[in-house]
Amino acid sequence: MCSRTHAEPTFSKPTCATTFAITCTAATTANATINKKALTATATVDNGGKVYDGTRTGTILTCSFGSAVASADGVYCDYSRASATFSDADLGMAKLVNVVGLAMAGAGVSNYTLASTTARAYASIVTSLGDANPLP
């Protein structure tokens, strides 16, 4: 809520918005504190399944912040230095995969904070790609 006890402050939108905190001062100016938006990343790992190779290593295919980023900011999820690790190396469907090392990049990163550099994904380890049942 915006309260006034003096002259109308000067700013581009003269009404209070729920996303802004406006503090009126004795002068005819207004101070606004606009907090950075926290982003949560989601990742896609080994879409279609990983062929069994005896390791827990997964392949990150994509990561994103969904629609949380203003398109004009050009911010994207960067997984170039991230890694994905399956919960175990055994054959199976919908296995937990931990993704670590996610980052954000782009021109407008100063408008955002990254809630976490990790994400969870689910993927299968199969005997061959296209298997509906991973067990031999």
Side-chain angles (χ1 to χ4, degrees), residues 44-64:
T44 303
V45 177
D46 289 297
N47 192 16
K50 167 188 167 167
V51 175
Y52 176 80
D53 63 2
T55 71
R56 296 175 49 207
T57 303
T59 301
I60 304 168
L61 301 176
T62 64
C63 74
S64 73

Side-chain angles (χ1 to χ4, degrees), residues 83 89 104:
S83 62
M104 57 181 179

